[in-house]
Coordinates of all heavy atoms in Angstrom, one line a residue:
M270 N 0.8 -1.2 0.0 CA 0.0 0.0 0.0 C 0.9 1.2 0.0 O 1.8 1.4 0.8 CB -0.9 0.0 1.2 CG -1.7 1.3 1.4 SD -2.7 1.3 2.9 CE -1.5 1.9 4.1
P271 N 0.6 2.2 -0.9 CA 1.4 3.4 -0.9 C 1.0 4.3 0.2 O -0.1 4.1 0.8 CB 1.1 4.0 -2.3 CG -0.3 3.5 -2.6 CD -0.3 2.1 -2.0
D272 N 1.9 5.2 0.6 CA 1.6 6.2 1.6 C 0.5 7.1 1.1 O 0.7 7.7 0.0 CB 2.8 7.0 2.1 CG 3.7 6.1 2.9 OD1 3.3 5.2 3.5 OD2 4.9 6.5 2.9
V273 N -0.6 7.2 1.8 CA -1.8 8.0 1.3 C -1.9 9.2 2.2 O -1.8 9.1 3.4 CB -3.1 7.1 1.3 CG1 -4.3 7.9 0.9 CG2 -2.9 6.0 0.3
I274 N -2.3 10.3 1.6 CA -2.5 11.5 2.3 C -3.9 12.2 1.9 O -4.3 11.9 0.8 CB -1.4 12.6 2.2 CG1 -1.2 12.9 0.7 CG2 -0.1 12.0 2.9 CD1 -0.1 14.1 0.5
Q275 N -4.4 13.0 2.8 CA -5.5 13.9 2.4 C -4.9 15.3 2.5 O -4.2 15.7 3.5 CB -6.6 13.8 3.3 CG -7.4 12.5 3.2 CD -8.7 12.5 3.9 OE1 -9.7 12.1 3.3 NE2 -8.7 13.0 5.1
I276 N -5.1 16.1 1.5 CA -4.7 17.5 1.5 C -5.9 18.4 1.5 O -6.9 18.2 0.8 CB -3.8 17.8 0.2 CG1 -2.6 16.9 0.1 CG2 -3.4 19.3 0.2 CD1 -1.9 17.0 -1.2
A277 N -5.9 19.4 2.4 CA -7.0 20.3 2.5 C -6.5 21.7 2.0 O -5.4 22.1 2.2 CB -7.4 20.5 4.0
T278 N -7.4 22.3 1.3 CA -7.3 23.7 0.8 C -8.6 24.3 0.8 O -9.7 23.6 0.8 CB -6.6 23.8 -0.6 OG1 -6.2 25.1 -0.8 CG2 -7.5 23.3 -1.7
T279 N -8.6 25.6 0.9 CA -9.9 26.4 0.9 C -9.8 27.4 -0.2 O -8.7 27.9 -0.6 CB -10.3 27.1 2.2 OG1 -9.1 27.9 2.6 CG2 -10.6 26.1 3.3
T280 N -11.0 27.7 -0.8 CA -11.0 28.7 -1.9 C -12.1 29.7 -1.6 O -13.1 29.4 -0.8 CB -11.3 28.0 -3.2 OG1 -12.6 27.5 -3.2 CG2 -10.3 27.0 -3.6
P281 N -12.1 30.9 -2.2 CA -13.1 31.9 -2.0 C -14.4 31.6 -2.7 O -15.5 32.2 -2.4 CB -12.5 33.2 -2.5 CG -11.5 32.8 -3.5 CD -11.0 31.4 -3.0
T282 N -14.4 30.7 -3.8 CA -15.6 30.5 -4.5 C -15.7 29.0 -4.8 O -14.7 28.3 -4.9 CB -15.6 31.2 -5.9 OG1 -14.5 30.7 -6.7 CG2 -15.4 32.7 -5.7
K283 N -16.9 28.6 -5.1 CA -17.2 27.2 -5.5 C -16.6 26.9 -6.8 O -16.0 25.8 -7.0 CB -18.7 26.9 -5.5 CG -19.1 25.5 -5.8 CD -20.6 25.3 -5.8 CE -21.0 23.9 -6.1 NZ -22.4 23.7 -6.1
E284 N -16.6 27.9 -7.7 CA -16.1 27.7 -9.0 C -14.6 27.4 -9.0 O -14.1 26.5 -9.7 CB -16.4 28.9 -9.9 CG -17.9 29.1 -10.2 CD -18.7 29.7 -9.1 OE1 -18.1 30.3 -8.1 OE2 -19.9 29.4 -9.0
L285 N -13.9 28.1 -8.2 CA -12.4 27.9 -8.1 C -12.2 26.5 -7.5 O -11.2 25.8 -7.9 CB -11.7 29.0 -7.2 CG -10.2 28.9 -7.1 CD1 -9.5 28.7 -8.5 CD2 -9.6 30.0 -6.3
A286 N -12.9 26.1 -6.4 CA -12.8 24.8 -5.9 C -13.0 23.7 -6.9 O -12.2 22.8 -7.0 CB -13.8 24.6 -4.7
Q287 N -14.0 23.9 -7.8 CA -14.3 23.0 -8.8 C -13.2 23.0 -9.9 O -12.8 21.9 -10.4 CB -15.6 23.3 -9.5 CG -16.8 23.0 -8.6 CD -18.1 23.6 -9.2 OE1 -18.1 24.7 -9.9 NE2 -19.2 22.9 -8.9
Q288 N -12.6 24.1 -10.2 CA -11.5 24.2 -11.2 C -10.3 23.4 -10.6 O -9.6 22.7 -11.3 CB -11.2 25.6 -11.4 CG -10.0 25.9 -12.4 CD -9.7 27.3 -12.6 OE1 -10.2 28.2 -11.9 NE2 -8.7 27.6 -13.5
I289 N -9.9 23.6 -9.3 CA -8.8 23.0 -8.7 C -9.1 21.4 -8.7 O -8.2 20.6 -9.1 CB -8.5 23.5 -7.3 CG1 -7.9 24.9 -7.5 CG2 -7.6 22.6 -6.6 CD1 -7.8 25.7 -6.1
A290 N -10.2 21.0 -8.3 CA -10.6 19.6 -8.2 C -10.4 19.0 -9.5 O -9.8 17.9 -9.7 CB -12.0 19.5 -7.7
L291 N -11.1 19.6 -10.6 CA -11.0 19.0 -11.9 C -9.6 18.9 -12.5 O -9.2 17.8 -13.0 CB -11.9 19.8 -12.9 CG -12.0 19.2 -14.3 CD1 -12.6 17.9 -14.3 CD2 -12.8 20.2 -15.1
A292 N -8.8 19.9 -12.2 CA -7.4 19.9 -12.7 C -6.6 18.8 -12.0 O -5.8 18.1 -12.7 CB -6.7 21.2 -12.4
L293 N -6.8 18.6 -10.8 CA -6.0 17.5 -10.0 C -6.4 16.2 -10.5 O -5.6 15.3 -10.7 CB -6.2 17.7 -8.5 CG -5.6 19.0 -7.9 CD1 -6.0 19.1 -6.4 CD2 -4.1 19.1 -8.1
V294 N -7.7 15.9 -10.7 CA -8.2 14.6 -11.1 C -7.8 14.3 -12.5 O -7.3 13.2 -12.9 CB -9.7 14.5 -10.8 CG1 -10.2 13.1 -11.4 CG2 -10.0 14.5 -9.3
E295 N -7.9 15.3 -13.4 CA -7.5 15.2 -14.8 C -6.1 14.8 -14.9 O -5.7 14.0 -15.8 CB -7.8 16.4 -15.6 CG -9.3 16.6 -16.0 CD -9.5 17.9 -16.8 OE1 -8.7 18.8 -16.8 OE2 -10.6 17.9 -17.4
R296 N -5.2 15.5 -14.1 CA -3.8 15.2 -14.2 C -3.3 14.0 -13.4 O -2.2 13.7 -13.3 CB -3.0 16.5 -13.6 CG -3.3 17.7 -14.4 CD -2.6 18.9 -13.8 NE -3.0 20.1 -14.3 CZ -2.7 21.4 -13.8 NH1 -1.8 21.4 -12.8 NH2 -3.2 22.4 -14.4
R297 N -4.3 13.3 -12.8 CA -4.1 12.1 -12.0 C -3.2 12.4 -10.8 O -2.5 11.5 -10.3 CB -3.5 11.0 -12.9 CG -4.4 10.6 -14.0 CD -3.9 9.4 -14.8 NE -4.1 8.1 -14.2 CZ -5.3 7.4 -14.3 NH1 -6.2 7.8 -15.1 NH2 -5.4 6.2 -13.7
L298 N -3.3 13.6 -10.3 CA -2.6 14.0 -9.1 C -3.5 13.7 -7.9 O -3.0 13.6 -6.8 CB -2.2 15.5 -9.1 CG -1.2 15.9 -10.2 CD1 -1.0 17.4 -10.2 CD2 0.1 15.1 -10.0
A299 N -4.7 13.4 -8.1 CA -5.7 13.0 -7.0 C -6.7 12.0 -7.6 O -7.1 12.1 -8.8 CB -6.4 14.3 -6.5
A300 N -7.0 11.1 -6.8 CA -8.1 10.1 -7.2 C -9.4 10.7 -6.9 O -10.4 10.4 -7.7 CB -7.9 8.8 -6.4
C301 N -9.6 11.6 -6.0 CA -10.9 12.2 -5.6 C -10.6 13.5 -4.9 O -9.7 13.6 -4.2 CB -11.6 11.2 -4.7 SG -13.1 11.8 -4.0
V302 N -11.5 14.4 -5.2 CA -11.5 15.7 -4.4 C -12.9 16.0 -4.0 O -13.8 16.0 -4.8 CB -10.9 16.9 -5.3 CG1 -11.0 18.2 -4.4 CG2 -9.6 16.6 -5.8
Q303 N -13.2 16.1 -2.7 CA -14.5 16.4 -2.2 C -14.5 17.9 -1.9 O -13.6 18.5 -1.4 CB -14.8 15.6 -0.9 CG -14.9 14.1 -1.2 CD -14.9 13.3 0.0 OE1 -14.2 13.6 1.0 NE2 -15.7 12.3 0.1
I304 N -15.6 18.5 -2.3 CA -15.8 20.0 -2.2 C -17.0 20.2 -1.2 O -18.1 19.6 -1.4 CB -16.1 20.7 -3.5 CG1 -15.0 20.4 -4.5 CG2 -16.4 22.1 -3.3 CD1 -15.3 20.9 -5.9
A305 N -16.7 20.9 -0.1 CA -17.8 21.2 0.9 C -17.8 22.7 1.1 O -16.8 23.4 1.1 CB -17.4 20.5 2.2
G306 N -19.1 23.1 1.3 CA -19.2 24.6 1.6 C -20.6 25.1 1.3 O -21.4 24.3 0.8
P307 N -20.8 26.3 1.5 CA -19.8 27.2 2.1 C -19.5 26.9 3.6 O -20.4 26.4 4.3 CB -20.4 28.6 1.9 CG -21.8 28.4 1.8 CD -22.0 27.0 1.3
I308 N -18.3 27.2 4.0 CA -17.9 27.1 5.4 C -17.5 28.5 5.8 O -17.2 29.3 5.0 CB -16.7 26.1 5.6 CG1 -15.5 26.5 4.8 CG2 -17.1 24.7 5.2 CD1 -14.2 25.7 5.1
E309 N -17.5 28.7 7.1 CA -17.1 30.0 7.6 C -15.7 29.8 8.2 O -15.5 29.0 9.1 CB -18.0 30.6 8.6 CG -17.7 32.0 9.1 CD -18.7 32.6 10.0 OE1 -19.8 32.0 10.2 OE2 -18.4 33.7 10.5
S310 N -14.8 30.7 7.8 CA -13.4 30.7 8.3 C -13.2 31.9 9.1 O -13.6 33.0 8.7 CB -12.4 30.6 7.2 OG -12.5 29.3 6.6
V311 N -12.5 31.8 10.3 CA -12.2 32.9 11.1 C -10.7 32.9 11.2 O -10.1 31.8 11.6 CB -12.8 32.9 12.5 CG1 -12.4 34.1 13.3 CG2 -14.4 32.9 12.3
Y312 N -9.9 33.9 10.9 CA -8.5 33.9 10.9 C -7.9 35.3 11.0 O -8.6 36.3 10.9 CB -8.0 33.2 9.5 CG -8.5 33.9 8.3 CD1 -7.8 34.9 7.7 CD2 -9.8 33.6 7.8 CE1 -8.3 35.6 6.6 CE2 -10.3 34.3 6.7 CZ -9.5 35.3 6.1 OH -10.1 36.0 5.0
R313 N -6.6 35.3 11.3 CA -5.9 36.5 11.4 C -5.1 36.7 10.1 O -4.4 35.9 9.7 CB -4.9 36.5 12.6 CG -4.3 37.9 12.9 CD -3.4 37.8 14.1 NE -4.1 37.5 15.3 CZ -4.8 38.3 16.0 NH1 -4.9 39.6 15.7 NH2 -5.5 37.9 17.1
W314 N -5.3 37.9 9.5 CA -4.5 38.2 8.3 C -4.1 39.7 8.3 O -4.9 40.6 8.5 CB -5.5 38.0 7.1 CG -4.8 38.3 5.7 CD1 -5.2 39.4 4.9 CD2 -3.8 37.6 5.1 NE1 -4.3 39.3 3.8 CE2 -3.5 38.3 3.9 CE3 -3.0 36.5 5.4 CZ2 -2.5 37.8 3.0 CZ3 -2.0 36.1 4.6 CH2 -1.8 36.8 3.4
Q315 N -2.8 39.8 8.2 CA -2.2 41.2 8.2 C -2.6 42.0 9.4 O -2.9 43.2 9.4 CB -2.4 41.9 6.9 CG -1.9 41.2 5.7 CD -2.2 41.8 4.4 OE1 -3.1 42.7 4.3 NE2 -1.4 41.5 3.4
G316 N -2.6 41.3 10.6 CA -2.8 41.9 11.9 C -4.3 42.2 12.2 O -4.6 42.7 13.3
E317 N -5.2 41.7 11.4 CA -6.6 41.9 11.6 C -7.3 40.5 11.7 O -6.9 39.6 11.0 CB -7.3 42.7 10.5 CG -6.7 44.1 10.3 CD -7.0 45.0 11.5 OE1 -8.1 44.9 12.1 OE2 -6.1 45.9 11.8
I318 N -8.4 40.5 12.5 CA -9.2 39.3 12.5 C -10.2 39.4 11.4 O -10.9 40.4 11.3 CB -9.8 39.0 13.8 CG1 -8.7 38.8 14.9 CG2 -10.8 37.9 13.8 CD1 -9.2 38.6 16.3
E319 N -10.2 38.3 10.5 CA -11.1 38.3 9.4 C -12.1 37.2 9.5 O -11.8 36.2 10.2 CB -10.3 38.1 8.1 CG -9.2 39.2 7.9 CD -9.7 40.4 7.2 OE1 -10.8 40.4 6.6 OE2 -9.0 41.4 7.3
T320 N -13.2 37.2 8.8 CA -14.1 36.1 8.6 C -14.4 36.0 7.1 O -14.4 37.1 6.4 CB -15.4 36.2 9.3 OG1 -16.1 37.4 8.9 CG2 -15.1 36.3 10.8
A321 N -14.6 34.8 6.6 CA -14.8 34.7 5.2 C -15.6 33.4 4.9 O -15.5 32.4 5.6 CB -13.6 34.6 4.4
A322 N -16.5 33.5 4.0 CA -17.2 32.2 3.5 C -16.3 31.6 2.4 O -15.8 32.3 1.6 CB -18.5 32.6 2.8
E323 N -16.0 30.3 2.6 CA -15.0 29.6 1.7 C -15.6 28.2 1.4 O -16.5 27.8 2.0 CB -13.7 29.4 2.4 CG -12.9 30.7 2.8 CD -11.6 30.5 3.4 OE1 -11.5 29.9 4.4 OE2 -10.6 30.9 2.7
W324 N -14.9 27.6 0.4 CA -15.2 26.3 0.0 C -14.0 25.4 0.3 O -12.9 25.9 0.0 CB -15.6 26.2 -1.5 CG -16.8 27.0 -1.7 CD1 -17.0 28.4 -1.9 CD2 -18.1 26.5 -1.8 NE1 -18.3 28.7 -2.0 CE2 -19.1 27.5 -2.0 CE3 -18.7 25.2 -1.7 CZ2 -20.4 27.4 -2.1 CZ3 -20.0 25.0 -1.8 CH2 -20.9 26.1 -2.0
Q325 N -14.2 24.3 0.9 CA -13.1 23.4 1.3 C -13.0 22.3 0.3 O -13.9 21.6 0.0 CB -13.3 22.9 2.7 CG -12.1 22.0 3.1 CD -12.2 21.6 4.5 OE1 -13.3 21.0 4.9 NE2 -11.2 21.8 5.3
C326 N -11.7 22.0 -0.1 CA -11.4 20.9 -1.0 C -10.6 19.9 -0.1 O -9.7 20.3 0.6 CB -10.5 21.2 -2.1 SG -11.3 22.4 -3.3
V327 N -11.0 18.6 -0.1 CA -10.3 17.6 0.6 C -9.8 16.6 -0.6 O -10.6 16.0 -1.2 CB -11.2 16.8 1.6 CG1 -10.3 15.7 2.2 CG2 -11.7 17.8 2.7
I328 N -8.5 16.6 -0.7 CA -7.9 15.9 -1.9 C -7.3 14.6 -1.4 O -6.5 14.5 -0.5 CB -6.8 16.8 -2.4 CG1 -7.4 18.2 -2.8 CG2 -6.0 16.2 -3.5 CD1 -6.4 19.4 -2.7
K329 N -7.6 13.5 -2.1 CA -7.1 12.2 -1.7 C -6.0 11.8 -2.7 O -6.3 11.7 -4.0 CB -8.2 11.1 -1.8 CG -9.1 11.0 -0.6 CD -10.0 12.1 -0.5 CE -11.0 11.9 0.6 NZ -12.0 12.8 0.8
T330 N -4.8 11.6 -2.2 CA -3.7 11.3 -3.1 C -2.6 10.5 -2.4 O -2.7 10.1 -1.3 CB -3.1 12.6 -3.7 OG1 -2.2 12.3 -4.8 CG2 -2.5 13.4 -2.6
R331 N -1.6 10.2 -3.2 CA -0.4 9.5 -2.6 C 0.6 10.5 -2.1 O 0.7 11.6 -2.7 CB 0.3 8.6 -3.7 CG -0.6 7.5 -4.1 CD 0.1 6.6 -5.2 NE 0.2 7.3 -6.4 CZ 1.3 7.5 -7.1 NH1 2.5 7.1 -6.7 NH2 1.3 8.2 -8.3
A332 N 1.3 10.2 -1.0 CA 2.2 11.2 -0.4 C 3.3 11.6 -1.4 O 3.7 12.8 -1.3 CB 2.8 10.5 0.8
E333 N 3.7 10.8 -2.2 CA 4.8 11.2 -3.2 C 4.4 12.2 -4.2 O 5.2 12.8 -4.8 CB 5.4 9.9 -3.9 CG 4.3 9.3 -4.8 CD 4.8 7.9 -5.3 OE1 5.0 7.0 -4.5 OE2 5.0 7.8 -6.5
L334 N 3.1 12.4 -4.3 CA 2.6 13.4 -5.2 C 2.3 14.8 -4.5 O 1.9 15.7 -5.2 CB 1.3 13.0 -5.9 CG 1.4 11.7 -6.8 CD1 0.0 11.3 -7.2 CD2 2.3 12.0 -7.9
F335 N 2.7 14.9 -3.3 CA 2.4 16.2 -2.5 C 3.0 17.4 -3.3 O 2.3 18.4 -3.5 CB 2.9 16.2 -1.1 CG 2.6 17.5 -0.4 CD1 1.4 17.8 0.1 CD2 3.7 18.4 -0.3 CE1 1.1 19.1 0.7 CE2 3.4 19.7 0.3 CZ 2.2 20.0 0.8
S336 N 4.2 17.4 -3.6 CA 4.8 18.6 -4.2 C 4.1 19.0 -5.5 O 4.0 20.2 -5.8 CB 6.3 18.3 -4.5 OG 7.0 18.1 -3.3
E337 N 3.7 18.0 -6.3 CA 3.0 18.3 -7.6 C 1.6 18.9 -7.3 O 1.2 19.8 -8.0 CB 2.9 17.0 -8.5 CG 4.3 16.6 -9.0 CD 4.1 15.4 -9.8 OE1 3.6 15.5 -11.0 OE2 4.5 14.3 -9.3
V338 N 1.0 18.3 -6.3 CA -0.4 18.8 -6.0 C -0.2 20.2 -5.4 O -1.0 21.1 -5.9 CB -1.0 17.9 -4.9 CG1 -2.3 18.6 -4.4 CG2 -1.3 16.5 -5.5
E339 N 0.7 20.5 -4.6 CA 1.0 21.9 -4.0 C 1.2 22.8 -5.2 O 0.7 23.9 -5.2 CB 2.2 21.8 -3.1 CG 2.5 23.2 -2.5 CD 3.7 23.2 -1.7 OE1 4.6 22.3 -1.7 OE2 3.8 24.2 -0.9
S340 N 2.1 22.5 -6.1 CA 2.4 23.3 -7.2 C 1.1 23.6 -8.1 O 0.9 24.8 -8.4 CB 3.5 22.7 -8.1 OG 3.8 23.5 -9.2
A341 N 0.3 22.6 -8.4 CA -0.9 22.8 -9.1 C -1.8 23.8 -8.4 O -2.5 24.7 -9.0 CB -1.6 21.5 -9.4
I342 N -2.0 23.6 -7.1 CA -2.9 24.4 -6.3 C -2.4 25.9 -6.4 O -3.2 26.8 -6.6 CB -3.0 23.9 -4.9 CG1 -3.8 22.6 -4.8 CG2 -3.7 25.0 -4.0 CD1 -3.8 21.9 -3.4
R343 N -1.1 26.1 -6.2 CA -0.5 27.4 -6.2 C -0.7 28.1 -7.5 O -1.0 29.3 -7.6 CB 0.9 27.4 -5.8 CG 1.2 27.1 -4.4 CD 2.7 27.2 -4.0 NE 2.9 26.8 -2.7 CZ 2.7 27.6 -1.6 NH1 2.1 28.8 -1.8 NH2 2.9 27.2 -0.4
Q344 N -0.6 27.4 -8.6 CA -0.8 27.9 -10.0 C -2.2 28.4 -10.2 O -2.4 29.4 -10.9 CB -0.4 26.9 -11.0 CG 1.0 26.6 -11.1 CD 1.4 25.4 -12.1 OE1 0.4 24.8 -12.6 NE2 2.6 25.2 -12.2
L345 N -3.2 27.7 -9.6 CA -4.6 28.0 -9.9 C -5.2 28.9 -8.8 O -6.3 29.5 -9.1 CB -5.4 26.6 -10.0 CG -5.0 25.7 -11.1 CD1 -5.6 24.3 -10.9 CD2 -5.5 26.3 -12.4
H346 N -4.6 29.0 -7.7 CA -5.3 29.6 -6.5 C -5.3 31.1 -6.6 O -4.4 31.7 -7.2 CB -4.6 29.1 -5.2 CG -5.6 29.0 -4.1 ND1 -6.2 30.1 -3.5 CD2 -6.1 27.9 -3.5 CE1 -7.0 29.6 -2.5 NE2 -7.0 28.3 -2.5
A347 N -6.3 31.7 -6.0 CA -6.5 33.1 -5.9 C -5.8 33.8 -4.7 O -5.5 35.0 -4.7 CB -8.0 33.5 -5.9
Y348 N -5.5 33.0 -3.6 CA -5.0 33.6 -2.4 C -3.4 33.7 -2.6 O -2.8 32.9 -3.2 CB -5.3 32.7 -1.2 CG -6.7 32.6 -0.8 CD1 -7.1 31.6 0.0 CD2 -7.6 33.5 -1.2 CE1 -8.4 31.5 0.4 CE2 -9.0 33.4 -0.8 CZ -9.4 32.4 0.1 OH -10.6 32.3 0.4
A349 N -2.9 34.7 -1.9 CA -1.4 34.9 -1.9 C -0.8 33.8 -1.1 O 0.3 33.3 -1.5 CB -1.1 36.3 -1.2
I350 N -1.4 33.3 0.0 CA -0.9 32.2 0.7 C -2.0 31.2 1.0 O -2.7 31.3 2.0 CB -0.3 32.6 2.1 CG1 0.8 33.7 1.9 CG2 0.3 31.5 2.9 CD1 1.3 34.3 3.2
P351 N -2.3 30.3 0.0 CA -3.4 29.3 0.2 C -3.1 28.3 1.3 O -1.9 27.9 1.5 CB -3.5 28.7 -1.2 CG -2.2 28.8 -1.8 CD -1.6 30.1 -1.2
E352 N -4.1 27.8 1.9 CA -4.0 26.7 2.8 C -3.7 25.5 2.0 O -4.4 25.2 1.0 CB -5.3 26.5 3.6 CG -5.3 25.2 4.4 CD -6.7 24.9 5.0 OE1 -7.7 25.5 4.6 OE2 -6.7 23.9 5.7
I353 N -2.6 24.8 2.3 CA -2.3 23.5 1.7 C -1.7 22.7 2.8 O -0.5 22.8 3.2 CB -1.3 23.7 0.5 CG1 -1.8 24.7 -0.5 CG2 -1.0 22.3 -0.1 CD1 -0.8 25.0 -1.6
L354 N -2.5 21.9 3.5 CA -2.1 21.1 4.6 C -2.4 19.6 4.3 O -3.5 19.2 3.9 CB -2.9 21.5 5.9 CG -2.8 22.8 6.4 CD1 -3.7 23.1 7.5 CD2 -1.3 23.1 6.8
A355 N -1.4 18.8 4.5 CA -1.5 17.3 4.2 C -1.6 16.6 5.6 O -0.9 16.9 6.5 CB -0.3 16.8 3.5
T356 N -2.4 15.6 5.6 CA -2.6 14.7 6.8 C -2.4 13.3 6.3 O -3.1 12.9 5.3 CB -4.1 14.9 7.4 OG1 -4.3 16.3 7.6 CG2 -4.2 14.0 8.6
P357 N -1.6 12.5 7.0 CA -1.5 11.1 6.6 C -2.7 10.3 6.9 O -3.4 10.5 7.9 CB -0.2 10.6 7.4 CG -0.2 11.5 8.6 CD -0.8 12.9 8.1
V358 N -3.0 9.4 6.0 CA -4.0 8.4 6.2 C -3.4 7.2 6.9 O -2.5 6.6 6.3 CB -4.7 8.0 4.9 CG1 -5.7 6.9 5.1 CG2 -5.4 9.2 4.3
V359 N -3.8 6.8 8.1 CA -3.2 5.8 8.8 C -3.8 4.4 8.5 O -3.2 3.4 8.8 CB -3.1 6.0 10.3 CG1 -2.2 7.3 10.6 CG2 -4.5 6.2 10.9
A360 N -5.0 4.4 8.1 CA -5.7 3.2 7.7 C -6.8 3.5 6.8 O -7.3 4.6 6.7 CB -6.2 2.5 9.0
G361 N -7.2 2.4 6.0 CA -8.4 2.6 5.1 C -8.7 1.3 4.5 O -8.0 0.3 4.7
S362 N -9.9 1.2 3.9 CA -10.3 -0.1 3.3 C -9.4 -0.4 2.2 O -9.0 0.4 1.4 CB -11.7 -0.1 2.9 OG -11.9 0.8 1.7
S363 N -9.0 -1.7 2.1 CA -8.0 -2.1 1.1 C -8.5 -1.8 -0.3 O -7.7 -1.3 -1.2 CB -7.6 -3.6 1.2 OG -8.8 -4.4 1.1
G364 N -9.8 -2.0 -0.6 CA -10.3 -1.7 -1.9 C -10.2 -0.2 -2.3 O -9.8 0.1 -3.4
Y365 N -10.5 0.6 -1.4 CA -10.4 2.1 -1.6 C -9.0 2.5 -1.8 O -8.7 3.3 -2.8 CB -11.1 2.9 -0.5 CG -11.1 4.4 -0.8 CD1 -12.2 4.9 -1.5 CD2 -10.1 5.2 -0.4 CE1 -12.2 6.3 -1.8 CE2 -10.2 6.6 -0.7 CZ -11.2 7.1 -1.4 OH -11.2 8.4 -1.7
L366 N -8.1 2.0 -1.0 CA -6.7 2.4 -1.1 C -6.1 1.8 -2.4 O -5.3 2.6 -3.1 CB -5.9 1.9 0.1 CG -6.3 2.5 1.4 CD1 -5.5 1.8 2.6 CD2 -6.1 4.0 1.4
E367 N -6.5 0.7 -2.9 CA -6.0 0.2 -4.2 C -6.6 1.0 -5.3 O -5.8 1.4 -6.2 CB -6.5 -1.3 -4.4 CG -5.7 -2.3 -3.5 CD -6.3 -3.7 -3.5 OE1 -7.1 -4.0 -4.4 OE2 -6.0 -4.4 -2.6
W368 N -7.8 1.4 -5.2 CA -8.4 2.3 -6.3 C -7.7 3.6 -6.3 O -7.3 4.1 -7.4 CB -9.9 2.5 -5.9 CG -10.5 3.6 -6.8 CD1 -11.0 3.5 -8.1 CD2 -10.8 4.9 -6.4 NE1 -11.5 4.7 -8.5 CE2 -11.4 5.6 -7.5 CE3 -10.5 5.6 -5.2 CZ2 -11.7 6.9 -7.4 CZ3 -10.9 7.0 -5.1 CH2 -11.5 7.6 -6.3
L369 N -7.4 4.2 -5.1 CA -6.7 5.5 -5.0 C -5.3 5.3 -5.7 O -4.9 6.2 -6.5 CB -6.6 5.9 -3.6 CG -6.1 7.3 -3.4 CD1 -6.7 7.9 -2.1 CD2 -4.6 7.4 -3.3
A370 N -4.6 4.3 -5.4 CA -3.3 4.1 -6.0 C -3.4 4.0 -7.5 O -2.6 4.5 -8.2 CB -2.6 2.9 -5.4
T371 N -4.4 3.2 -8.0 CA -4.5 3.0 -9.4 C -4.8 4.4 -10.1 O -4.3 4.6 -11.2 CB -5.6 2.0 -9.7 OG1 -5.3 0.8 -9.1 CG2 -5.9 1.8 -11.2
E372 N -5.7 5.2 -9.5 CA -6.2 6.4 -10.2 C -5.2 7.5 -10.1 O -5.4 8.5 -10.8 CB -7.6 6.8 -9.6 CG -8.7 5.9 -9.8 CD -8.9 5.6 -11.3 OE1 -8.8 6.6 -12.1 OE2 -9.1 4.5 -11.7
T373 N -4.1 7.3 -9.4 CA -3.1 8.4 -9.3 C -1.8 7.9 -10.0 O -0.7 8.5 -9.7 CB -2.8 8.8 -7.9 OG1 -2.5 7.6 -7.1 CG2 -4.0 9.5 -7.3
Q374 N -1.9 6.9 -10.8 CA -0.8 6.5 -11.6 C -0.8 7.1 -13.0 O -1.9 7.2 -13.6 CB -0.8 4.9 -11.7 CG -0.5 4.2 -10.5 CD 0.9 4.4 -9.9 OE1 1.8 4.5 -10.6 NE2 0.9 4.5 -8.5
P375 N 0.3 7.5 -13.5 CA 0.3 8.0 -14.9 C -0.2 6.9 -15.9 O 0.0 5.8 -15.7 CB 1.7 8.4 -15.2 CG 2.5 8.1 -14.0 CD 1.6 7.4 -13.0
T376 N -0.9 7.4 -16.9 CA -1.3 6.4 -17.9 C -0.4 6.3 -19.1 O 0.5 7.0 -19.3 CB -2.7 6.9 -18.6 OG1 -2.5 8.2 -19.1 CG2 -3.8 6.9 -17.5

């Protein structure tokens, strides 16, 4: 089983979340991207507390693809410093993990 991660990013619009998701799946950098939202984010930016409605992408991929996924997100993203956080998957159903590995292999 390859090392599997989930990467989270947020976007200011549903359309941008969909654009990122489609690009990652088309390039086989992700097997699946789930889009949820709108969510409310509260954060500090440039010394001020901000709130924003955002859309969250949860990206399922192999750990070895993190740098490529990060690069693709940065190229498409609207934020100066987008959230790009990876979390290791410590366990999962064997069928799902096999599917994920297959769908993130170059053709």
